[in-house]
Amino acid sequence: GKVLVSGANGYVAVWVVKKLLEEGYTVRGTVRSEKSIPYLKQLFDSYGDKVEFIVVPDITKPGAFDDALKDIDAIAHTASPFHFNFEHPRELIDPAVLGTTGILESALKHGQHVKRVIILSSCAAVMEADGYPEPVVLTEKDWNVRAAANCEKQGQDASHADAYFASKTLAEHAAWDFAAKHKGEVTFDVVALNPPYVHGPFLQDVSAPEKLNVSLLSVYNNAVKGGQTDAELASSPGSWVDVRDLAQAHVLAFQKEAAGGERIIVASGPFTWQQWVHAAHEIDSKLPSGTAGYDYANIKFPIKHDNTKSRQILGIDYIGITRCTRDILAQFKELGWY
Ligand code: NDP
């Protein structure tokens, strides 16, 4: 089959492209700028004409993906802003929502062969950005409800976290609304994958550590650079997943019939930053050790994500912190980043 991967130059997406190619799929990746293409072409050079990259300059334009859909059997939509350089929440919300509805509209009109569309959502659409009064275990039934309301109320003054969480929540809602509205009309079903913080080695074009994507930059800052306070290291942003497991989850979500119509949390487990600092320090004692006397056996995680559904439907056997950290550090070391 031929798979369309949007935002193909992103941290998660390059791994999705790689796993798809390894499993024998043909891939058409979209990027928004011509300058992203040479690196990708070279990276996947050995796959010859099994892979191609095209430019979709503005995913918010109606019909932006129309031409990209020729001969496509399945779609992985990953293009969505994940950065904090913005003035107003709509700079994240608009591309997230309009990119999602736009690719679905294009598939409705021009995707006669499309059987399944994966929307890369997030645990940001599952959990609240500002936490809970009591520890919680969240499942696919849970939704972020506060972020979009806060952005609506506060506009430009909304927190960056709320803007990002709102963008992912509103985009996923829009996907499910579209699926419900056009049921019977479309040839495809929709799957939402909801990963938490994504860690693991990277394949995308990165010239320096400061240019890493948001989630891997956090690992670099905590485990390699250091300098965080004990309180920062003790904090838990929720759960994490290895980027290779998340990419494999995309492949499996195309292959497993039972994934159709499902929202699936793809998470390895909860974490605190101190655990990553510790894992890295155990591998290389030159790296920061963080908080002395930290009680690893009794960590109280404020938020956990139930990954039962991903294990049952997709059959993922998750990579753990030690292996993930080892592989990240090996790459950073090879690049001379520490
Ligand atoms: P990256 O920043 O590496 O990738 C983001 C991708 O989206 C890039 O291809 C980028 O293109 C594209 N993009 C960003 N803004 C726009 C826009 N306005 N219009 C068109 N394309 C745009 O981040 P990730 O790989 O981490 O993120 C990929 C997806 O995974 C996102 O949907 C994100 O929400 C989701 N996700 C990521 C998590 C993580 O921890 N990494 C956790 C949960 C979900 P360009 O390079 O040209 O900017």
Side-chain angles (χ1 to χ4, degrees), residues 223 273-283 288-290 294 296 325:
W273 286 114
Q274 176 58 31
Q275 286 179 295
W276 287 86
V277 169
H278 179 66
H281 183 74
E282 292 274 288
I283 292 163
S289 55
Y294 188 83
Y296 296 96
T325 308

Side-chain angles (χ1 to χ4, degrees), residues 7-13 32-33 36 59 78-83 91 95 120-123 164 168 195-198 204 213-215:
N9 61 318
Y11 171 54
V12 175
R32 60 169 159 172
S33 159
S36 299
I59 64 172
T78 85
S80 199
F82 187 13
H83 61 76
E91 293 169 51
L120 178 51
S121 185
S122 171
C123 280
Y164 176 66
K168 298 306 288 180
Y197 261 70
V198 186
Q204 83 272 22
N213 60 289
V214 169
S215 57

